Amino acid sequence: MFSQQLSSTPRGARLARRLVAERLDAWGWPYASELNEAVTLITAELAANAVRHGRVPGRDFRIRLTATDPTVRIEVEDAKGEQLPAIRPAGGDAEGGRGLVLVAALAGRWGADPRTDGVGKTVWAEVRGHEPVRKPR
């Protein structure tokens, strides 16, 4: 498992994406693999949503990555739990509002739950891929 607390800023969201890509590569899913690219993109969307919609001044967000061959689960916790995310139709000219559609298309399962150990919510997604490539030590 990998877990990291990050600042609720665009920089924190960018760092989340990079850290997840690096961790997956270290676990045996190379950067260019389908699973690494899918989980990294999902992380980018969920982290951006945590910064944009789940931000509470002075509170960070947390990413958690768990791998159970061949499924990878990404969780993003933020401090705002009043409303759980849901896919909503985006207008044709809208510049945003399609992130969760992308998450749903890439993940085998996804959802959001109120946090049981504090305030806020956890948005999660699971991606099933091939067994990781074992790297020589």
Side-chain angles (χ1 to χ4, degrees):
M1 182 187 63
F2 171 75
S3 180
Q4 181 69 49
Q5 187 168 319
L6 299 159
S7 65
S8 290
T9 62
R11 183 176 184 213
R14 285 190 306 273
L15 184 56
R17 178 184 176 126
R18 183 174 179 178
L19 290 171
V20 164
E22 288 176 1
R23 181 58 56 162
L24 289 170
D25 182 65
W27 284 349
W29 285 287
Y31 290 107
S33 68
E34 285 184 34
L35 186 133
N36 191 311
E37 290 182 351
V39 174
T40 300
L41 186 55
I42 289 169
T43 300
E45 291 297 331
L46 297 184
N49 285 351
V51 169
R52 190 174 301 121
H53 305 295
R55 182 177 183 276
V56 172
R59 301 290 303 268
D60 296 333
F61 74 97
R62 174 172 295 282
I63 59 169
R64 183 174 295 114
L65 191 62
T66 310
T68 308
D69 297 346
T71 301
V72 174
R73 180 180 174 103
I74 180 70
E75 297 176 356
V76 177
E77 297 176 349
D78 65 49
K80 209 176 229 182
E82 296 85 29
Q83 183 177 358
L84 297 179
I87 295 176
R88 293 177 183 84
D93 293 338
E95 292 184 20
R98 294 176 183 83
L100 290 178
V101 173
L102 185 60
V103 169
L106 293 172
R109 296 178 346 126
W110 78 277
D113 303 304
R115 288 183 53 198
T116 58
D117 61 345
V119 298
K121 65 184 171 295
T122 301
V123 184
W124 56 271
E126 295 177 347
V127 178
R128 185 173 172 87
H130 299 288
E131 297 290 326
V133 176
R134 298 293 177 204
K135 294 184 177 185
R137 296 202 178 248

